Amino acid sequence: MNKDTNAQNPEDLTGIKLTNVPKSAVGAKAIQSALKHIKDEVGVVKGIQLLKNVNQHYGFDCPGCAWPDPDAKRAFLAEYCENGAKAIAEEATKNKVSPLFFATHSVQELAKLSDYEIGKNGRITNPMYLPEGKDNYEEISWENAFQLIAKELNGLSSPDEAIFYTSGRTSNEAAFLYQLFVRQFGTNNLPDCSNMCHESSGVALTETLGIGKGSVTLDDFNHADLVIVMGQNPGTNHPRMLTALSETKKKGGKIITINPLPEVGLMNFKDPQNPLKWVGSGQNLTDLFLQVKINGDVALLKIILKLMKEKEIANPGSVFSNDFIKNKTDGLEEMLLNLDSFSIEELLPQTGISLTEIKKATDLIISNNNIIICWAMGLTQHKNAVDNIRELVNILLLKGSIGKKGAGTCPVRGHSNVQGDRTMGIWEKMPDTFLDKLDEEFNFKSPRKHGLDVVNAIEAMHDKKAKVFFGMGGNFVSATPDTEFTAKALQNCDLTVHVSTKLNRSHLITGKKALILPCLGRSEKDMQTSGEQFITVENSMGIVHQSKGHLEPHSKNLLSEPAIVAGLASATLKNSNVNWANLTADYNLIRDKIANVVPGFNNFNKKVSVKGGFYLPNNARNNNYTPTKTGKANFTLNKPSDLKLKDNQFIMMTIRTHDQYNTTIYGLNDRYRGILNERRVVFMNKKDMEKQQFKNLELVNLVSHFKEEKRIAKGFLIVAYDIPEQCTATYFPEANVLVPLRNVAHTSNTPASKTIIITIEKS
Ligand SMILES: Nc1nc2c(c(=O)[nH]1)N[C@H]1C(S)=C(S)[C@@H](COP(=O)(O)OP(=O)(O)OC[C@H]3O[C@@H](n4cnc5c(=O)[nH]c(N)nc54)[C@H](O)[C@@H]3O)O[C@H]1N2
Ligand SMILES: Nc1nc2c(c(=O)[nH]1)N[C@H]1C(S)=C(S)[C@@H](COP(=O)(O)OP(=O)(O)OC[C@H]3O[C@@H](n4cnc5c(=O)[nH]c(N)nc54)[C@H](O)[C@@H]3O)O[C@H]1N2
Ligand SMILES: [Mo]
């Protein structure tokens, strides 16, 4: 593939410095780093006003992640974390991207910058239009922008030629209106970031437990005997989760961590809300660390299942929760029988862990009854990702460790409202029960043909079968796989539109025409004709609550996301029976509509006025599995990885540094892994380096292999790291060019961004 689109980050290096990996996470250093970002981006006075309102009952929801807030007591000035503070600083930045900026910087010139440099330009102040054949965006009025999109949409030969993407920061109110508009327009083409994120969890949990969401609440961490954290780096991506894990430990619970990397945050923690604890050695979190090879999790879990079965047979009733299994589950016999077709000898090499260590983990599982399993992208982004999650459910079911206090599933979500967006109908294959309700409420017939997900949408645009791309947030070109292919796909469109807060690469790799529609951020006041509005979000544990910004908007030309949807719908839909302007004048009216359509939202306005919000119904939490196909919780048969590496090949995972939010790059450091001022690195085991005769910090090119296809990314520095043999790691999004679009998880169609086969070539 050639590199002619400017879609990739530049190959220039930024000057790496290596430091020691710190011994513990959070503590004073984290507070220091948070305050520095706030001071540099926002300024001190406005910064304090901001932080005071984060995650408070009547403040705004931190846009950083979907980890829940404490139900009752909340710390003043401290219900955020280092990375939450960076996310907020990024949104409230002083820097502005004005029409003058666009007049003096061409699209081609900006696209040559790195994602870091692009983002630092700041918040977009006005709607901007890039006419066909022009090099610079020009200012456009909101009305003209809506008319232009409407004309393009209505000129398509079918509504299915338009793609409507959503990233996960969009509020419930905006998401509900958006999907209504898209379905009234006539398509289910509603791909979202979930397709690349927790889709595999949704698929596996729906099949096994009858609900695509996790079952635990925050309080369950106070009652768990054992928490297993798999494929997740909470010290960086969900720092407030460390407080919950710390509570588990204080109450005598144990923690097993399963990860190819010894992530600092999971190993040792200093509570940021307790300055007395900042000095000293911190609290050890992980009791047992299993350094699994990338994609070795099914093999590992299978060995544990086999050991559990062995012990149960030797001493019936000593391991399995037989009453629970008998009353609540289906498929035990087949699952146990299927275990016989795998041998420990055959599975063990895939894990890279000694049998002694695996036996220790098995003993902890056998001897504890209240078990929570947490996971994130380390399990969901593989070809057999769905197997990963179904297999961990098998363990919970054998133990009866679900549907009771201190036990259950905990898929830790990414974007702060990604779960809520799904609940509101952002999904290319929403069930008919939802669509029937929608039709009844708004008196129309929504399309029933399933729409395109992210991977299929990219192919459709590439093949010119889809011609308009509309992004509600996000940074499609940088976040998706196969950067060069995706760039071509977007460039094949007649029109690309982005509703955005900050400038990003997707504004620069465009269709023939392009629009940027700038919107309010979470931290800003949302004024509509009936007065100041709040919005609502749903966190990782199914709590729906208010969020209200207090800062003056960045520019007077910003619109809220609901107002943008309403403007677009009014311009596009000729015969809509919805009064779009009324709905956005007062978001209570949107919530009344949601109450009539979405299960669990009856009396929405009343319930959400209560401090802390309300829990949505969750059958698995209530030990009820009737929504599954069998009416019971299902044991499943799962396959370990079928990857076969040649001698010179490696598995590569793409991960986040401590200084980024997905494609938004806060800085160039990855402090917790000892890497400063460089993102173009590839982590490698020392033994592999010796075998291949590579030196530390040697400059190399990475080549990925998928079927007969090859993809290349040039200019990476090798860093010797504590990572299993034949495993490597690079950072997302720089390495996305190496992720093959068609290398996806079965059933969920999620790109396998954590199992890329590469060779490493001397530069
Ligand atoms: N500050 C910050 N917060 C964020 C984000 C951010 O970018 N920055 N992103 C948000 C989003 S959208 C999401 S989805 C989450 C992501 O949160 P994470 O899933 O924690 O993020 P990743 O960096 O992708 O980390 C994956 C972890 O899985 C491990 N891993 C990789 N492959 C395997 C494997 O095969 N097996 C096992 N057991 N482990 C594996 C990696 O070593 C790494 O520790 O965080 C959210 N929160
Ligand atoms: N290789 C590889 N690729 C991955 C992953 C990986 O681990 N490895 N992870 C995947 C995952 S888990 C995810 S979730 C996706 C993320 O994919 P996306 O959600 O598409 O990407 P983000 O980088 O989170 O989007 C950032 C942009 O959102 C806009 N934005 C920020 N706040 C708001 C807001 O309030 N409203 C609006 N309208 N816009 C806003 C800003 O303009 C910003 O530039 O990436 C996926 N891609
Ligand atoms: Mo995500």
Side-chain angles (χ1 to χ4, degrees):
M1 301 240 168
N2 54 352
K3 184 173 176 292
D4 56 7
T5 54
N6 268 335
Q8 292 185 48
N9 274 271
E11 286 157 16
D12 316 328
L13 299 175
T14 40
I16 192 166
K17 284 191 218 85
L18 298 179
T19 62
N20 289 333
V21 172
K23 289 202 170 54
S24 71
V26 197
K29 262 246 160 75
I31 304 275
Q32 232 175 37
S33 156
L35 294 178
K36 182 171 172 355
H37 274 85
I38 290 279
K39 186 172 126 279
D40 293 354
E41 292 284 333
V42 189
V44 175
V45 178
K46 191 170 153 199
I48 298 224
Q49 192 196 343
L50 251 180
L51 293 184
K52 213 172 64 191
N53 280 305
V54 189
N55 292 335
Q56 298 298 329
H57 284 301
Y58 296 105
F60 67 96
D61 180 59
C62 177
C65 75
W67 190 256
D69 309 312
D71 281 333
K73 200 172 130 248
R74 296 189 182 180
F76 177 66
L77 246 183
E79 277 315 335
Y80 61 90
C81 62
E82 174 190 354
N83 278 348
K86 290 184 201 162
I88 295 157
E90 201 69 24
E91 181 178 295
T93 176
K94 292 174 284 198
N95 301 336
K96 293 186 192 211
V97 177
S98 62
L100 182 65
F101 174 91
F102 284 110
T104 48
H105 296 82
S106 74
V107 166
Q108 292 76 6
E109 175 194 336
L110 291 170
K112 292 205 172 80
L113 303 176
S114 67
D115 285 345
Y116 171 62
E117 293 162 325
I118 292 172
K120 287 292 171 205
N121 286 305
R123 288 280 299 275
I124 301 156
T125 59
N126 294 63
M128 301 300 303
Y129 176 46
L130 183 67
E132 188 163 359
K134 289 284 182 71
D135 293 336
N136 292 68
Y137 273 97
E138 300 164 1
E139 196 178 342
I140 184 172
S141 70
W142 280 103
E143 193 42 43
N144 287 348
F146 292 142
Q147 289 303 336
L148 202 147
I149 304 168
K151 188 164 167 237
E152 205 71 40
L153 287 175
N154 289 324
L156 295 172
S157 45
S158 148
D160 289 333
E161 289 182 351
I163 307 287
F164 296 93
Y165 175 72
T166 314
S167 166
R169 272 195 197 176
T170 294
S171 66
N172 289 333
E173 289 75 6
F176 184 79
L177 280 195
Y178 183 50
Q179 62 82 35
L180 175 63
F181 158 64
V182 171
R183 295 194 162 107
Q184 290 210 329
F185 174 64
T187 180
N188 279 313
N189 282 348
L190 282 159
D192 67 349
C193 67
S194 239
N195 296 148
M196 300 180 271
C197 186
H198 265 294
E199 197 71 64
S200 308
S201 309
V203 167
L205 293 174
T206 303
E207 177 187 346
T208 54
L209 302 173
I211 179 165
K213 305 176 182 183
S215 74
V216 302
T217 67
L218 199 50
D219 184 51
D220 284 318
F221 284 83
N222 296 324
H223 302 272
D225 305 324
L226 177 64
V227 178
I228 306 178
V229 184
M230 300 185 72
Q232 201 202 336
N233 179 21
T236 286
N237 298 312
H238 308 90
R240 291 180 308 132
M241 177 176 165
L242 299 183
T243 312
L245 293 175
S246 156
E247 288 304 314
T248 304
K249 292 283 302 213
K250 280 186 209 153
K251 302 213 162 67
K254 297 262 189 267
I255 294 172
I256 301 178
T257 292
I258 303 176
N259 200 307
L261 302 178
E263 303 283 25
V264 173
L266 277 169
M267 298 300 155
N268 192 292
F269 168 63
K270 290 182 183 168
D271 189 346
Q273 280 156 31
N274 189 345
L276 296 176
K277 302 237 170 101
W278 291 355
V279 285
S281 55
Q283 180 191 20
N284 284 323
L285 287 183
T286 293
D287 296 283
L288 179 65
F289 172 50
L290 300 181
Q291 190 161 21
V292 71
K293 284 192 170 181
I294 298 172
N295 204 17
D297 301 86
V298 172
L300 169 62
L301 295 172
K302 247 187 216 320
I303 296 175
I304 294 177
L305 285 166
K306 282 177 78 77
L307 295 171
M308 287 169 76
K309 177 182 167 186
E310 218 171 78
K311 204 149 194 179
E312 174 70 19
I313 290 173
N315 192 354
S318 66
V319 179
F320 295 178
S321 178
N322 288 314
D323 279 348
F324 174 85
I325 294 173
K326 191 165 132 249
N327 297 327
K328 295 285 180 181
T329 70
D330 189 76
L332 175 73
E333 296 306 318
E334 295 91 315
M335 193 278 285
L336 290 179
L337 194 67
N338 183 257
L339 288 177
D340 295 341
S341 42
F342 302 90
S343 74
I344 291 187
E345 294 66 42
E346 175 189 47
L347 294 168
L348 206 53
Q350 270 202 27
T351 69
I353 307 166
S354 75
L355 191 56
T356 323
E357 292 299 293
I358 301 179
K359 281 186 173 156
K360 280 189 204 159
T362 312
D363 287 342
L364 277 172
I365 291 172
I366 289 176
S367 60
N368 288 296
N369 288 322
N370 294 333
I371 304 173
I372 295 176
I373 304 186
C374 309
W375 71 92
M377 297 304 103
L379 293 198
T380 64
Q381 299 175 332
H382 299 283
K383 256 176 77 185
N384 64 341
V386 176
D387 299 72
N388 270 336
I389 295 138
R390 289 191 308 210
E391 200 78 319
L392 70 84
V393 170
N394 279 340
I395 292 191
L396 291 176
L397 293 182
L398 282 182
K399 293 288 298 175
S401 227
I402 180 118
K404 64 175 183 184
K405 228 181 189 19
T409 51
C410 183
V412 184
R413 300 280 159 181
H415 269 298
S416 52
N417 198 39
V418 61
Q419 189 159 311
D421 290 346
R422 270 293 163 90
T423 309
M424 291 298 122
I426 302 291
W427 195 19
E428 72 281 358
K429 42 183 183 224
M430 219 46 203
D432 282 352
T433 45
F434 178 95
L435 298 176
D436 289 344
K437 276 278 202 194
L438 192 70
D439 293 0
E440 196 185 308
E441 182 65 25
F442 294 99
N443 198 17
F444 80 113
K445 185 79 193 146
S446 55
R448 298 304 158 109
K449 191 180 120 200
H450 286 176
L452 301 172
D453 62 11
V454 164
V455 167
N456 291 330
I458 293 171
E459 292 224 310
M461 291 186 284
H462 198 272
D463 295 348
K464 302 189 180 173
K465 287 183 187 143
K467 296 175 177 150
V468 174
F469 175 89
F470 187 98
M472 180 58 88
N475 181 2
F476 198 78
V477 79
S478 291
T480 52
D482 236 343
T483 314
E484 294 293 339
F485 188 91
T486 303
K488 202 88 213 108
L490 288 170
Q491 288 171 331
N492 280 348
C493 287
D494 293 329
L495 173 69
T496 50
V497 185
H498 287 89
V499 178
S500 309
T501 49
K502 299 199 67 178
L503 189 68
N504 67 45
R505 193 173 296 282
S506 298
H507 305 135
L508 310 171
I509 306 298
T510 67
K512 294 191 187 78
K513 300 186 278 283
L515 279 162
I516 309 175
L517 308 179
C519 67
L520 292 174
R522 282 273 171 85
S523 52
E524 290 164 332
K525 256 187 216 155
D526 185 348
M527 236 9 206
Q528 302 297 334
T529 48
S530 74
E532 210 177 314
Q533 307 294 312
F534 66 87
I535 50 123
T536 63
V537 292
E538 174 185 342
N539 65 31
S540 210
M541 289 169 188
I543 302 170
V544 179
H545 63 92
Q546 294 192 16
S547 169
K548 190 172 183 179
H550 294 275
L551 290 183
E552 284 308 319
H554 229 73
S555 137
K556 60 181 190 331
N557 295 311
L558 305 182
L559 287 185
S560 74
E561 289 182 352
I564 293 174
V565 176
L568 182 59
S570 305
T572 310
L573 305 174
K574 298 286 174 282
N575 304 314
S576 175
N577 46 12
V578 177
N579 191 333
W580 297 93
N582 261 6
L583 285 179
T584 41
D586 178 359
Y587 296 176
N588 281 326
L589 302 178
I590 308 178
R591 285 187 284 272
D592 285 340
K593 293 290 179 192
I594 294 173
N596 294 341
V597 173
V598 188
F601 284 80
N602 53 319
N603 284 322
F604 189 9
N605 273 308
K606 189 158 169 234
K607 285 196 289 195
V608 85
S609 64
V610 175
K611 240 184 176 184
F614 63 98
Y615 278 96
L616 287 176
N618 187 306
N619 62 280
R621 186 175 294 158
N622 297 330
N623 204 19
N624 163 13
Y625 310 99
T626 49
T628 70
K629 279 205 177 120
T630 60
K632 301 230 162 166
N634 291 309
F635 284 103
T636 48
L637 313 183
N638 300 302
K639 294 206 179 92
S641 161
D642 59 3
L643 270 185
K644 293 214 168 39
L645 294 179
K646 297 193 183 125
D647 271 352
N648 65 339
Q649 289 183 331
F650 300 89
I651 316 183
M652 180 183 87
M653 56 180 176
T654 52
I655 54 176
R656 294 156 169 79
T657 69
H658 194 60
D659 251 3
Q660 73 184 80
Y661 194 91
N662 299 339
T663 69
T664 302
I665 313 299
Y666 304 141
L668 301 177
N669 298 338
D670 194 7
R671 195 175 81 234
Y672 287 167
R673 300 195 186 105
I675 290 166
L676 303 181
N677 206 41
E678 186 57 78
R679 295 184 51 86
R680 295 186 81 82
V681 295
V682 51
F683 296 83
M684 215 175 161
N685 180 293
K686 272 205 179 110
K687 285 192 192 142
D688 289 329
M689 287 169 57
E690 277 160 25
K691 268 189 233 156
Q692 304 259 326
Q693 300 182 331
F694 284 126
K695 293 190 292 290
N696 206 24
L697 297 186
E698 185 161 342
L699 189 68
V700 293
N701 299 329
L702 307 177
V703 182
S704 79
H705 304 266
F706 176 67
K707 299 188 174 158
E708 298 311 307
E709 303 163 15
K710 273 189 188 182
R711 291 166 177 78
I712 180 159
K714 289 187 179 162
F716 282 75
L717 295 171
I718 290 187
V719 172
Y721 205 80
D722 184 0
I723 185 171
E725 281 175 67
Q726 282 201 301
C727 296
T728 59
T730 49
Y731 297 139
F732 146 58
E734 284 77 2
N736 281 36
V737 63
L738 297 170
V739 185
L741 186 70
R742 274 289 152 211
N743 192 26
V744 291
H746 73 74
T747 331
S748 68
N749 216 27
T750 296
S753 315
K754 300 282 191 267
T755 27
I756 302 146
I757 297 183
I758 60 161
T759 49
I760 304 177
E761 297 177 349
K762 293 191 185 270
S763 173

